[in-house]
Amino acid sequence: MIRGVSCLLAAFMLAAIAGCSGDNAMSNVPDEGNAPAPLYASDAVPRISYIDGTWDSQIPAPDGAAVQAIDAKFGIDFKPQFYYMQEYPDKLTVTMASGELPDMIGFEFPDSRFVKWARQGAFLRLNDLIARYPTLSQIPQSAWSSVSVDGSIYAIPRWFTKKYGKRPVIHKDWLDNLGLKMPTNYKELKDVLIAFTNDDPDRNGKNDTLGLGMSSVGTGILYGAAMSVGYDSSAWYYRNSAGQLIPGTITSSNKEHVQFLAELYKAGAIAKDWPVSKMSDVRDAFFTGQIGMYFEQPYDFNEKRFAGLRQLQPSAVLAIIPPFVQDDGQSGYISSGNGIYQLITLNAKLVHDPKKADTILGMLDYMSTWIPWEKRVPGNPDFDWQYGGVGVGYEMKEGKPVEKIDAQSLRPKNYLISRYWAPSEEVLQPQNAVTDPLAKQFVTDAVETLEHVKMYKNPVDYIDSPLRNEKESELEKAFTDHVTRMIIGEEPMANWDAAAEEYLQNGGQAIIDEVNKLLKKKGIEPGWE
């Protein structure tokens, strides 16, 4: 975040939170002497504003039918505003700098900006509130640690699967068309992706395909080709000479991964404009049959994309690539965090309006509560309402509810917590949520493949490191700039060690020291789940 924005926000928050404690953690006891004017009259309908980002192909309308349903059910005047996720960081920064904050503020991750704004007093401290709500109170401590700053909880985390997150997906039909086998190492993968680029894998007689889809706008490099946990830049898997766990970003295995990408780029198997390509554009290219390998998750996705690819390429078959065996003999993918993805903060001013805060937390608790598959039927009023009503927001097919395509504005779930807090991975059964033939084929294959794949428990997901929260995203961005130049040939790979040393000197080693100290103190060991 630029210095000017930080100063503006800090000035605003100093005026807004005169009653804060010395560590900037908001108190949940209203300071009557500094209380602002009521946010609404006692006999009026409370207005609840909300800003967030979405990766979905369609943004829920700010005044859709589902908004009216939410208003009626909870007795509020709901004012949501969604943006595409790759535009959202800039929108959020502008909103935070304005000082006119919504009641609810969404984040994709608890990144350094979340930490800074929490410390500046922008968000409501939730420690003493969550015990009042049946589902929120059951969220594991590890999840709360991820949304805590200096011991204070500042957000409601959204549940996410550890197993069925983004995985490398390949056109198996293209492999079959070219007589190629599923790749098991980087040499084989490079040969496959170059063949996908040059050898007309879809048999349409045109030179219109690329091997790998990759982007890097507002999000760092997405997604590269980390084909096992050891090559994953986000995994704390390897150790330095002092025996400390270190971030995958600066490891020699990540260097091997980047070298692979540079060779692919030189061979023309990655789009020349990938550093300025949006993830949504690359995803669309994959689902219109232009790219042979990308990343997708077999859970919580829009079937419309699969239906579109199937119509363009009726013989399409998609498969998750099993992880490669690493030099240490291990293989597996990194677990999708510690079971959360995305979070919602509450405006700190709600400390003076506990009724509105209770309404918001009650809504989020209700929308997070797990509904078993056998109860996801029109006869269940909670489920039926959350999904917009049978025949409107969803349909019953083969005895299972299936969301109607492009009906985001009709389903209340798309406006609040869209994923139930599942009691375990086993109850998910993601194949039950899809009916499109290609989507079902992909999810079924993914479930079967991932059943035999180990998931690495990333130890940093289970601690709260203030230094890492504050500095890591900036360090990662600077290192990504080096990596991008290396991939496109503007910086030699020989600069890798110098870039890694820069990372360490600018705060990376301090983060490593703190992380390892916290892991030892809490007795947390890396391992496989």
Side-chain angles (χ1 to χ4, degrees):
M1 185 171 64
I2 61 175
R3 184 179 298 274
V5 171
S6 295
C7 292
L8 283 172
L9 180 61
F12 159 70
M13 292 312 303
L14 282 173
I17 57 171
C20 286
S21 62
D23 63 358
N24 279 344
M26 290 296 294
S27 168
N28 278 306
V29 180
D31 182 342
E32 297 297 341
N34 293 303
L39 300 180
Y40 54 88
S42 59
D43 59 347
V45 173
R47 174 172 292 184
I48 295 178
S49 53
Y50 176 33
I51 183 174
D52 209 340
T54 178
W55 285 114
D56 211 338
S57 58
Q58 184 181 92
I59 292 177
D63 56 356
V67 173
Q68 299 173 32
I70 291 170
D71 288 347
K73 185 174 186 66
F74 297 108
I76 63 175
D77 180 14
F78 191 44
K79 297 295 182 184
Q81 182 62 63
F82 288 88
Y83 298 92
Y84 288 117
M85 191 63 82
Q86 285 183 302
E87 302 170 358
Y88 183 58
D90 291 337
K91 300 290 186 182
L92 179 58
T93 297
V94 171
T95 298
M96 297 298 293
S98 74
E100 298 297 323
L101 307 187
D103 298 301
M104 303 163 60
I105 305 160
F107 286 79
E108 186 175 19
F109 301 107
D111 57 15
S112 60
R113 298 180 313 156
F114 165 78
V115 174
K116 288 180 182 180
W117 292 332
R119 285 179 173 162
Q120 290 168 350
F123 311 132
L124 183 67
R125 185 175 183 271
L126 303 173
N127 297 54
D128 300 328
L129 300 179
I130 54 179
R132 306 175 188 175
Y133 306 93
T135 294
L136 300 184
S137 63
Q138 297 302 310
I139 292 176
Q141 182 57 45
S142 59
W144 291 122
S145 295
S146 296
V147 294
S148 295
V149 178
D150 302 328
S152 293
I153 297 170
Y154 287 114
I156 300 299
R158 300 187 189 188
W159 183 90
F160 196 73
T161 173
K162 295 181 180 182
K163 181 183 292 187
Y164 300 122
K166 288 287 194 297
R167 306 298 175 204
V169 179
I170 196 165
H171 260 279
K172 188 175 182 303
D173 54 314
W174 290 12
L175 289 174
D176 294 341
N177 287 344
L178 298 178
L180 300 172
K181 296 180 180 180
M182 183 70 74
T184 61
N185 56 54
Y186 275 115
K187 171 63 169 64
E188 293 175 0
L189 182 60
K190 183 175 74 171
D191 292 344
V192 162
L193 297 180
I194 292 174
F196 280 2
T197 304
N198 298 328
D199 299 345
D200 190 22
D202 58 356
R203 295 293 186 252
N204 69 351
K206 301 177 182 179
N207 183 20
D208 58 356
T209 56
L210 280 174
L212 176 67
M214 198 163 70
S215 63
S216 183
V217 174
T219 52
I221 294 178
L222 287 178
Y223 283 94
M227 299 307 301
S228 192
V229 67
Y231 306 104
D232 197 315
S233 63
S234 64
W236 289 60
Y237 181 79
Y238 289 113
R239 297 179 183 270
N240 60 17
S241 58
Q244 294 175 305
L245 282 170
I246 60 175
T249 300
I250 58 174
T251 62
S252 58
S253 290
N254 190 34
K255 179 181 178 181
E256 180 183 346
H257 171 213
V258 172
Q259 178 68 56
F260 162 79
L261 295 175
E263 292 171 2
L264 274 186
Y265 181 84
K266 186 176 182 179
I270 305 174
K272 294 299 181 184
D273 64 349
W274 75 264
V276 295
S277 298
K278 293 182 178 180
M279 186 282 284
S280 55
D281 293 334
V282 180
R283 179 186 64 194
D284 290 346
F286 178 78
F287 281 102
T288 52
Q290 303 172 54
I291 294 172
M293 176 183 165
Y294 190 53
F295 279 64
E296 186 53 273
Q297 60 196 41
Y299 168 76
D300 192 32
F301 60 76
N302 191 331
E303 279 192 78
K304 182 180 180 180
R305 295 193 284 269
F306 289 85
L309 175 58
R310 179 172 52 81
Q311 291 169 5
L312 290 170
Q313 298 182 346
S315 61
V317 178
L318 302 179
I320 285 181
I321 306 175
F324 296 167
V325 176
Q326 304 163 181
D327 290 341
D328 63 0
Q330 297 286 352
S331 70
Y333 288 124
I334 192 169
S335 178
S336 302
N338 62 348
I340 69 169
Y341 170 64
Q342 297 179 290
L343 47 140
I344 296 176
T345 64
L346 274 62
N347 189 330
K349 287 186 176 180
L350 291 175
V351 70
H352 300 294
D353 196 341
K355 178 181 176 183
K356 183 187 278 193
D358 177 67
T359 298
I360 293 172
L361 293 172
M363 290 194 305
L364 298 181
D365 185 85
Y366 169 73
M367 298 299 290
S368 300
T369 302
W370 174 256
I371 297 180
W373 276 103
E374 63 270 18
K375 294 185 178 180
R376 298 184 191 184
V377 294
N380 182 336
D382 290 327
F383 173 79
D384 190 64
W385 180 85
Q386 292 170 11
Y387 272 65
V390 65
V392 180
Y394 73 102
E395 297 175 323
M396 296 298 294
K397 295 183 178 181
E398 302 174 7
K400 298 292 188 298
V402 178
E403 296 179 15
K404 294 191 72 171
I405 292 174
D406 292 338
Q408 286 88 337
S409 298
L410 304 177
R411 292 186 292 265
K413 69 181 282 296
N414 288 99
Y415 287 84
L416 295 167
I417 298 287
S418 59
R419 296 182 297 273
Y420 300 130
W421 199 274
S424 68
E425 296 279 325
E426 289 70 30
V427 301
L428 277 187
Q429 303 177 54
Q431 62 272 29
N432 287 346
V434 294
T435 58
D436 177 81
L438 180 58
K440 187 170 280 292
Q441 175 270 307
F442 163 67
V443 174
T444 301
D445 173 89
V447 170
E448 293 175 354
T449 298
L450 294 172
E451 181 182 0
H452 306 289
V453 170
K454 293 187 297 185
M455 296 294 158
Y456 180 70
K457 177 182 176 180
N458 206 13
V460 293
D461 289 337
Y462 298 86
I463 59 170
D464 178 22
S465 165
L467 270 178
R468 180 170 175 257
N469 291 341
E470 181 179 355
K471 297 180 177 295
E472 185 181 56
S473 58
E474 294 175 5
L475 289 172
E476 292 287 339
K477 182 180 183 305
F479 198 86
T480 295
D481 289 342
H482 285 291
V483 166
T484 299
R485 292 192 293 270
M486 290 175 186
I487 292 172
I488 65 178
E490 292 185 357
E491 182 173 347
M493 288 297 302
N495 281 11
W496 182 273
D497 290 344
E501 185 61 27
E502 176 187 283
Y503 180 101
L504 293 170
Q505 292 297 324
N506 288 346
Q509 184 59 54
I511 292 174
I512 291 170
D513 292 342
E514 181 174 90
V515 163
N516 280 270
K517 181 178 179 180
L518 289 169
L519 291 174
K520 183 177 181 180
K521 180 179 179 181
K522 293 197 171 186
I524 295 172
E525 294 287 342
W528 299 93
E529 293 186 305

